[in-house]
């Protein structure tokens, strides 16, 4: 069974930084790609960033230049470094891993950007 466990969310002031972690129960290379999604109240879940098995990264326009996705293959962990946070980044952030046509999700971690 595949498990994804997020950590690192919290409350931060505008302009601040947070790093999210997603630990997997399988080797990262089990997944075609891994990514971070977010869902704000009243909005649809949206892709924030993802990284392919080969290391290719992709970012939503709204976070380019501020967020960085990375991974530690030895720790089977994917990270999302979030800098210059804005109030509109407030959301529940979910880790996602795709194995073939099957998507696996973590339980989500709340990120709140507020003064």
């Amino acid at each position: 069974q595949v498990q994804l466990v997020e950590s690192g969310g919290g409350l931060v002031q505008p302009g601040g930084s947070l790093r999210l972690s997603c630990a997997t129960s399988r080797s990262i290379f089990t997944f075609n790609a891994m990514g971070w999604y977010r869902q704000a109240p009243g909005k649809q879940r949206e892709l924030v960033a993802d990284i392919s098995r080969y290391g290719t990264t992709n970012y939503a326009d709204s976070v380019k230049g501020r967020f960085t996705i990375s991974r530690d293959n030895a720790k089977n962990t994917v990270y999302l470094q979030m800098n210059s946070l804005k109030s509109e980044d407030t959301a529940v952030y979910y880790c996602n891993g795709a194995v073939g046509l099957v998507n696996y999700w973590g339980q989500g971690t709340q990120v709140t950007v507020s003064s």
Side-chain angles (χ1 to χ4, degrees):
Q1 185 171 347
V2 176
Q3 290 184 319
L4 305 176
V5 180
E6 302 105 334
S7 61
L11 173 64
V12 63
Q13 292 186 341
S17 298
L18 281 175
R19 188 177 79 158
L20 305 183
S21 300
C22 172
T24 75
S25 59
R26 299 272 188 91
S27 164
I28 280 183
F29 297 106
T30 299
F31 303 93
N32 304 332
M34 295 196 70
W36 290 94
Y37 288 71
R38 67 186 181 187
Q39 188 166 18
K43 295 188 177 181
Q44 290 188 328
R45 191 173 296 189
E46 63 175 0
L47 174 68
V48 176
D50 61 18
I51 183 166
S52 75
R53 175 181 294 161
Y54 308 104
T56 303
T57 58
N58 176 52
Y59 296 91
D61 287 343
S62 60
V63 306
K64 283 181 181 177
R66 299 188 299 123
F67 291 10
T68 303
I69 189 170
S70 63
R71 67 188 184 196
D72 185 326
N73 300 337
K75 295 183 178 179
N76 293 326
T77 300
V78 176
Y79 303 98
L80 184 68
Q81 178 67 43
M82 306 185 293
N83 298 328
S84 301
L85 282 160
K86 305 175 181 179
S87 58
E88 51 262 45
D89 295 317
T90 295
V92 178
Y93 284 70
Y94 296 91
C95 181
N96 168 271
V99 181
L101 298 179
V102 179
N103 277 288
Y104 296 91
W105 296 93
Q107 80 284 358
T109 185
Q110 177 70 46
V111 172
T112 302
V113 184
S114 175
S115 55

